């Protein structure tokens, strides 16, 4: 279950003449919830685990054509009612709450569903919902809880997350960590394409630099040597922006080691974690145990995505879940991208998330000076 970046100016600005779009819903559950692999998404801060779960269950009796615009403090949805004959207010049912919206139209004595989604792009103020009929259109005005957040579309989807993430990430790079090098690479490439970021793979960089495969290196020198080399690669990448970096999986990479996260903290990190848990609650409990134990370096990540099973065809769905969780993480603290930037400017000293003032040296510090702060 659960949850990219393009030019905000190109994607998020809407003209006065809003394009007509097709809103397609299915009687099946949409991506974010599929039978294999199952995906659960969590985010946490340095204090406690906070699960982020965004199941999307959408249904419509038919294809609905609509126009959408973002007017800063509110978004407007125009649904085509053409061909339905005389329609009055008593023939319309609109129910909006949180991130859900249901719209029904009375036809031949019963209400047909036009829209039924619990995955609006972000939260609304349901008490301030306004709707009216304008000729052959139903106009619905939804008040946003966060007026500063631009909505690329009415629902949260792969396309809207891809288009709407620039304003949140602000160029901050993303690191994909986890037990499988293959999964890390597949998901990272999906994210890079969607975001317009540069895809980087530490395995490929290591093999190009050393002119040998990682497998042969492991046999010759062991995993500690490989982890040290990958850590050096991560140091060189830590000042890069707009990159999605896929790291080595298993016990061989730097991300597995708790003492090798100094440069991984420079970006937003996503832990792709395979699990044998049979349900969502068990997956949550497993994630909590990993954080409390702290023995696995992956538990330092900003977001964890739990996978039960894996298929390369689901890489985009996992990437979508990751973006959805990152969106919620950043919206919970909009200063996070700026804090990541400050961490890089101060030299990636390992003092994340409690950044110390300039001049602080972790190798000689004996006290705990106050943390550096961002200007308002």
């Amino acid at each position: 279950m659960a949850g990219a970046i393009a030019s905000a100016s190109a994607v998020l600005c809407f003209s006065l003449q809003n394009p007509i779009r097709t809103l397609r819903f299915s009687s099946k559950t949409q991506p974010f919830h599929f039978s294999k692999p199952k995906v659960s998404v969590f985010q946490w801060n340095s204090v406690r685990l906070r699960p982020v779960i965004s199941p999307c269950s959408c249904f419509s009796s038919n294809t609905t054509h609509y126009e959408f615009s973002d007017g800063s403090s509110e978004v407007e949805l125009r649904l085509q009612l053409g061909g339905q004959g005389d329609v009055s207010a008593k023939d319309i049912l609109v129910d909006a709450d949180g991130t859900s919206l249901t719209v029904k139209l009375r036809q031949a004595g019963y209400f047909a569903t036009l829209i039924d989604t619990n995955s609006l792009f972000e939260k609304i103020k349901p008490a301030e919902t306004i709707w009216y009929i304008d000729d052959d259109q139903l106009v619905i005005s939804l008040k946003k809880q966060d007026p500063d957040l631009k909505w690329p579309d009415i629902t949260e989807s792969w396309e809207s997350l891809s288009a709407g993430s620039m304003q949140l990430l602000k160029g901050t790079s993303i690191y994909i960590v986890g037990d499988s090098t293959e999964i890390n690479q597949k998901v990272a490439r999906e994210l890079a394409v969607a975001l317009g970021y540069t895809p980087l793979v530490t395995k490929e960089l290591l093999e190009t630099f050393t002119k040998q495969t990682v497998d042969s290196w492991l046999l010759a020198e062991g995993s500690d040597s490989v982890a040290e080399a990958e850590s050096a690669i991560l140091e060189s990448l830590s000042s890069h922006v707009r990159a999605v970096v896929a790291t080595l999986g298993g016990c061989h990479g730097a991300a597995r080691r708790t003492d090798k996260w100094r440069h991984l903290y420079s970006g937003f990190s996503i832990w792709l974690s395979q699990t044998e848990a049979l349900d969502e609650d068990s997956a949550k409990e497993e994630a909590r145990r990993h954080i409390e134990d702290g023995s696995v370096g992956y538990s330092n990540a900003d977001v964890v995505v739990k996978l039960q099973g894996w298929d390369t065809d689901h890489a985009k769905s996992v990437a979508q879940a990751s973006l959805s969780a990152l969106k919620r993480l950043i919206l919970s603290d909009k200063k996070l991208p700026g804090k990541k930037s400050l961490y890089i400017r101060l030299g990636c000293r390992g003092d994340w998330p409690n950044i110390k003032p300039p001049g602080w040296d972790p190798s000689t510090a004996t006290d705990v000076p106050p943390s550096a702060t961002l200007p308002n």
Side-chain angles (χ1 to χ4, degrees), residues 318-332:
V318 176
Q320 180 177 343
S322 302
L323 280 182
S324 180
L326 279 179
K327 185 186 79 171
R328 284 156 176 73
L329 174 69
I330 297 172
L331 287 176
S332 71

Side-chain angles (χ1 to χ4, degrees), residues 190-356:
E190 290 287 350
L191 286 172
V193 170
L195 301 168
Y197 272 28
T198 301
L200 297 170
V201 180
T202 58
K203 181 176 184 287
E204 295 176 357
L205 294 173
L206 287 169
E207 291 179 343
T208 299
F209 180 74
T210 62
K211 295 182 171 47
Q212 65 175 324
T213 65
V214 168
D215 290 339
S216 63
W217 190 350
L218 287 168
L219 289 173
E221 301 186 40
S223 60
D224 287 343
S225 175
V226 173
E228 285 293 337
E230 187 184 29
S231 184
I233 292 288
L234 293 171
E235 180 178 1
S236 68
L237 297 178
S238 62
S239 60
H240 288 223
V241 295
R242 297 179 177 85
V244 182
V245 182
T247 64
L248 290 175
C251 300
H252 316 309
R256 178 82 180 187
R257 292 154 170 79
T258 56
D259 60 341
K260 299 296 183 185
W261 272 73
R262 175 177 168 182
H263 297 98
L264 286 167
Y265 289 135
S266 64
F268 288 111
S269 51
I270 302 170
W271 175 16
L272 305 181
S273 174
Q274 293 181 284
T275 179
E276 297 298 325
L278 299 178
D279 55 57
E280 182 181 310
D281 290 338
S282 299
K284 288 181 182 180
E285 182 58 32
E286 182 179 74
R288 289 190 182 95
R289 288 198 305 270
H290 283 148
I291 297 170
E292 292 170 357
D293 178 44
S295 60
V296 179
Y298 300 143
S299 62
N300 290 322
D302 297 301
V303 168
V304 56
V305 179
K306 287 287 185 181
L307 308 175
Q308 187 184 65
W310 167 251
D311 189 310
T312 55
D313 292 339
H314 292 297
K316 183 176 289 186
S317 295
V318 176
Q320 180 177 343
S322 302
L323 280 182
S324 180
L326 279 179
K327 185 186 79 171
R328 284 156 176 73
L329 174 69
I330 297 172
L331 287 176
S332 71
D333 183 358
K334 291 184 179 180
K335 289 187 176 181
L336 277 174
K339 193 174 181 181
K340 293 283 188 183
S341 178
L342 175 63
Y343 179 79
I344 295 171
R345 295 199 304 272
L346 291 176
C348 297
R349 302 170 301 179
D351 51 342
W352 181 268
N354 301 313
I355 301 175
K356 306 300 185 295

